[in-house]
Amino acid sequence: MHDYGYSDLPVSTLHDRGLDFARRALAIDPDSATAIAAVSNIYNQQATRGIGRHDWTDILGGYTQALEIEPRNASALNWRGLALGTVGKMSAALADFRSCVEYEPYYLPCRENLHWFLAETGQIEEAMRVFRESQDAGAAKTQFIHLGLLARTGNELMFKAATNDE
């Protein structure tokens, strides 16, 4: 909620609430893939922000556990992809984003992260193809395009549109 501007509460409060909600969901259904993935995602956010000490093996293990229960869980795939990228496992991250887009073609976060990680790994043509396909599907926001990708491809009009988007 904080990252997308949906709340002005402190991040620590949001993390505490999220963990409380996830734990309540797990008390009702211990096999809730979304709740398991949410706990790992909060730990991931805490670890990357330096406000919590969590082991990356445990974080990734939580996402994997969630995906063993529900292999097509888009949030778990997206979040694990981001975590894999954080620890430098870019090929595995891309595989998660590709699976997510295959399972949920209109799920914006996976499409955005797929094109972003492709650009970061120098796969420029594929990154532009993915972004264009996302636009065609109505599942892309100009504000989330990789600006380096636009600069490298000389796409001046899109660069201007992205940098002037509010």
Side-chain angles (χ1 to χ4, degrees), residues 20-21 34 41 44 51 74-75 82 89 113 119 137 161:
D20 180 52
F21 292 142
T34 300
N41 195 48
N44 178 347
I51 57 175
S75 293
L82 291 170
K89 297 184 177 188
N113 289 324

Side-chain angles (χ1 to χ4, degrees), residues 120-136:
E120 286 294 308
T121 57
Q123 299 173 64
I124 304 305
E125 288 180 23
E126 187 178 359
M128 281 304 294
R129 181 186 55 74
V130 166
F131 186 75
R132 283 189 188 109
E133 287 174 358
S134 298
Q135 285 182 312
D136 290 344

Side-chain angles (χ1 to χ4, degrees), residues 101-142:
V101 169
E102 177 186 337
Y103 299 147
E104 297 290 342
Y106 298 102
Y107 187 55
L108 182 63
C110 285
R111 283 188 171 271
E112 290 170 348
N113 289 324
L114 177 57
H115 107 268
W116 190 274
F117 275 62
L118 286 166
E120 286 294 308
T121 57
Q123 299 173 64
I124 304 305
E125 288 180 23
E126 187 178 359
M128 281 304 294
R129 181 186 55 74
V130 166
F131 186 75
R132 283 189 188 109
E133 287 174 358
S134 298
Q135 285 182 312
D136 290 344
K141 290 187 177 183
T142 309

Side-chain angles (χ1 to χ4, degrees), residues 55 57 75 96-97 101 127 147-148 153 157:
D55 185 276
T57 302
S75 293
D96 276 355
F97 297 136
V101 169
L147 296 178
T153 59
L157 182 59

Side-chain angles (χ1 to χ4, degrees), residues 37 40-41 44 59-68 76 79-80 83:
S40 279
N41 195 48
N44 178 347
I59 292 169
L60 291 167
Y63 294 130
T64 299
Q65 179 186 0
L67 290 165
E68 287 169 354
W79 294 337
R80 186 174 71 174

